[in-house]
Amino acid sequence: MSGASVADTALTDPDLRRSIAATLLPGFVGTTLPSWLAARLRAGLGGVCLFGQNISSAAQLRELTDAIYAANPEAIVAIDEEGGDVTRLYYESGSPYPGNAILGRLGDAAYTEDVARRVGRSCAGPA
């Protein structure tokens, strides 16, 4: 059987390359959007995944997300913010919210929902 593999086709087919890129959410080092990533976002990259090392303050995070959306208004900005040990927004100081293990042990669905709502508001940023 002959013919190009999907990987070979992805190297030469711009539509396939763009479709694949639209599914990716890479991370990066630093607190500002690197030029290589801005270029990839303009070319159709699906978005960016942020980690603690990418965030130094609420104002800086707003500037960073504004730069991401300027490069690609449809980009997804992902962040794994769960509270407890899994925090990106409070990377330097530790999360003010209990983690999932504590919430599970408490067994209080209303409190868990309240914490989840507060974590979501933190991710949304200032109104």
Side-chain angles (χ1 to χ4, degrees):
M1 175 175 150
S2 70
S5 70
V6 173
D8 291 335
T9 303
L11 291 174
T12 59
D13 182 339
D15 291 331
L16 182 56
R17 286 177 62 93
R18 188 170 180 89
S19 292
I20 292 169
T23 67
L24 302 176
L25 300 169
F28 63 96
V29 175
T31 56
T32 59
L33 186 64
S35 59
W36 68 265
L37 187 49
R40 296 290 172 114
L41 286 162
R42 286 190 296 275
L45 184 67
V48 176
C49 186
L50 301 178
F51 295 92
Q53 66 174 342
N54 302 125
I55 303 168
S56 63
S57 70
Q60 172 272 327
L61 179 57
R62 172 56 60 198
E63 290 176 18
L64 176 57
T65 56
D66 287 349
I68 292 167
Y69 290 129
N72 180 348
E74 296 180 8
I76 293 171
V77 176
I79 187 166
D80 187 10
E81 182 65 39
E82 299 176 19
D85 291 340
V86 182
T87 184
R88 309 301 181 240
L89 295 176
Y90 305 98
Y91 184 69
E92 294 295 324
S93 62
S95 178
Y97 308 111
N100 294 331
I102 298 296
L103 292 171
R105 276 188 234 124
L106 291 174
D108 184 336
Y111 180 63
T112 299
E113 183 177 342
D114 178 59
V115 169
R117 188 172 286 109
R118 289 186 285 150
V119 168
R121 284 189 193 120
S122 293
C123 290

